[in-house]
Amino acid sequence: MRRIVVLAVAFALAGCGSVNLPGWPKPPPPGGPSASAWAKPGADSAAVTTAYNDCLDLADAATDTDVAIDQDIAASRGSDLQHSSFAGAQLREAQQASRERIQTVLSSCMERKGFIPAK
């Protein structure tokens, strides 16, 4: 139900311009902030970088809609965010959830390609 409400708000705000918010655009995910955080026996740095960039693109595509919805909601509630710790906490929670989802998708993708976290 919540997702339906969020989508309805997003469609209603489709004409609004984007807002620069702390934490957006999405930073690289923690735990895998660069291709150097991953290793695969026999893979050179170019192969690691290519795989990492492919997986990061996939993670971005998987979370773009959520990020856009969060930005639209934040844009419509700009004064609420400035005056309400509850509204600010909700935004931070949504941003953290997006970062965690990016990390999950990125890690799953890299592992499917045979990579493991570098030590």
Side-chain angles (χ1 to χ4, degrees), residues 80-92:
D80 291 347
L81 293 172
Q82 293 174 352
H83 302 301
S84 169
S85 61
F86 176 74
Q90 283 183 317
L91 177 62
R92 286 187 298 280

Side-chain angles (χ1 to χ4, degrees), residues 19 28 30 35 42 44 110 115:
V19 173
D44 63 6
M110 290 298 285
F115 291 88

Side-chain angles (χ1 to χ4, degrees), residues 89-105:
Q90 283 183 317
L91 177 62
R92 286 187 298 280
E93 184 179 306
Q95 290 173 331
Q96 182 60 33
S98 290
R99 284 187 202 89
E100 289 170 1
R101 186 162 180 229
I102 293 167
Q103 177 59 44
T104 299
V105 173

